[in-house]
């Protein structure tokens, strides 16, 4: 005669309580996420205020590197354009040639701070982001700052192109900012005004690509731990470590047999 047990009311209540607790835990997770985001934004804001003097102090070096690099690149394309850094300003000079006679050059100045103010924002976000070690955070900081600083070179080249196109319009007698000069002008200022967006985009891309992780350094300890565990495990024909005098495969290493159902 077979008898089947029915689930008692106490077990049902335990199931309900456990499901209710799991639902409550799930409802708490979004709140924890919001708190973590608020903490990240607070730390990033404090780090941004601390990094502003550092950015302003290093702006002269960044202007020099961006101006010299842009001048070398643009001089290959057009020798009439000269790009010279001067403090925190990049001066662009384009020689005007009319009927074979050289006239006064067309000049413009670019303040490098207008296209680099997103740099301390990116550095603050990286410093406020949690990482597995200080080395991974330092590596992410160097990569992010290098990418953001390298973007200033195309921006300076674009400004030099705008200056050259404006001179061509003056020579041809066209008035206003029509034609290609107007298009490049809006592209340049769109990049300049969207520096915070560029900083956040680079930061999110680094997070998605795992720039804050150390996969290579974590794989080595895990592999060493696995090798140590395999070394400690006794061989099947070795004496059993329990001290019974029998082999390991016939004692503690023997597989448990399934118990009969009836």
């Amino acid at each position: 005669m077979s008898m089947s047990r029915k689930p008692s009311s106490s077990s049902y209540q335990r199931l309900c309580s456990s499901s209710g607790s799991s639902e409550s835990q799930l409802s708490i997770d979004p709140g924890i996420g919001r708190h973590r985001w608020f903490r990240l934004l607070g730390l990033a804001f404090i780090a941004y205020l601390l990094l502003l003097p550092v950015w302003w102090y290093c702006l002269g070096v960044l202007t020099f590197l961006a101006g010299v690099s842009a001048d070398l690149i643009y001089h290959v394309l057009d020798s009439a354009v000269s790009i010279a850094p001067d403090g925190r300003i990049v001066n662009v000079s384009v020689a005007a040639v009319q009927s074979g006679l050289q006239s006064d050059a067309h000049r413009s100045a670019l303040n490098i701070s207008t296209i680099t103010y997103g740099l301390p924002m990116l550095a603050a976000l990286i410093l406020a982001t949690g990482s597995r070690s200080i080395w991974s955070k330092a590596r992410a900081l160097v990569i992010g700052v290098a990418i953001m600083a390298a973007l200033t070179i195309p921006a300076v080249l674009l400004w030099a192109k705008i200056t050259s196109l404006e001179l061509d319009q003056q020579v041809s007698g066209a008035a206003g900012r029509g034609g290609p000069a107007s298009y490049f002008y809006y592209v340049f200022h769109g990049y300049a005004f969207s520096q915070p967006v560029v900083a956040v985009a680079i930061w999110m891309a680094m997070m998605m690509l795992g720039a804050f992780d150390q996969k290579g350094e974590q794989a080595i300890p895990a592999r060493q731990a696995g090798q140590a565990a395999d070394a400690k495990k006794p061989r099947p024909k070795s004496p059993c470590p329990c001290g019974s005098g029998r082999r390991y495969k016939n004692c503690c290493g023997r597989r448990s047999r399934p118990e009969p159902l009836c």
Side-chain angles (χ1 to χ4, degrees), residues 37 64 71 93-94 103 110 112 123-124 130 135 177 195 222 256:
W37 275 106
F64 176 79
D71 183 64
S93 176
V94 182
S103 59
L110 171 64
I112 207 70
W135 164 250
R177 289 186 177 271
Q195 283 288 297
S256 59

Side-chain angles (χ1 to χ4, degrees), residues 53-197:
V54 180
W55 163 72
W56 186 256
Y57 180 78
C58 298
L59 203 57
V61 179
L62 183 60
T63 304
F64 176 79
L65 295 176
V68 172
S69 302
D71 183 64
L72 292 176
I73 296 174
Y74 209 99
H75 192 74
V76 177
L77 303 175
D78 189 359
S79 59
V81 178
S82 175
I83 302 174
D86 184 13
R88 299 182 179 93
I89 296 176
V90 174
N91 295 316
V92 179
S93 176
V94 182
V97 179
Q98 293 182 356
S99 301
L101 299 176
Q102 186 174 0
S103 59
D104 295 337
H106 181 67
R107 295 180 177 87
S108 65
L110 171 64
N111 194 338
I112 207 70
S113 62
T114 58
I115 56 174
T116 58
Y117 66 91
L119 191 58
M121 299 180 185
L122 176 61
L125 288 173
I126 294 175
L127 292 177
T129 305
S131 60
R132 300 184 182 273
S133 65
I134 299 178
W135 164 250
S136 61
K137 181 173 291 189
R139 181 186 60 186
L141 181 62
V142 171
I143 294 174
V145 170
I147 293 174
M148 195 77 178
L151 291 177
T152 59
I153 299 177
V156 174
L157 292 174
L158 184 59
W159 182 260
K161 183 64 177 178
I162 294 172
T163 306
S164 178
L165 291 175
E166 287 178 350
L167 177 62
D168 294 340
Q169 290 181 356
Q170 291 180 3
V171 172
S172 61
R177 289 186 177 271
S182 178
Y183 172 75
F184 289 121
Y185 179 82
Y186 290 118
V187 169
F188 174 83
H189 284 280
Y191 172 75
F193 288 128
S194 61
Q195 283 288 297
V197 179

Side-chain angles (χ1 to χ4, degrees), residues 234-240 245-250:
R235 297 181 180 180
K237 294 184 179 181
S238 61
C240 188
R246 292 183 294 178
R247 294 182 179 179
Y248 176 74
K249 67 177 183 179
N250 295 329

Side-chain angles (χ1 to χ4, degrees), residues 190-246:
Y191 172 75
F193 288 128
S194 61
Q195 283 288 297
V197 179
V198 176
V200 173
I202 295 175
W203 171 67
M204 293 184 65
M206 293 177 63
M207 291 186 62
M208 294 176 62
L209 295 175
F212 297 92
D213 299 333
Q214 283 185 322
K215 298 180 181 180
E217 295 184 2
Q218 289 180 353
I220 296 176
R223 185 167 59 251
Q224 291 178 354
Q227 293 176 357
D230 293 339
K232 292 181 180 179
K233 185 177 180 181
R235 297 181 180 180
K237 294 184 179 181
S238 61
C240 188
C242 68
S244 62
R246 292 183 294 178

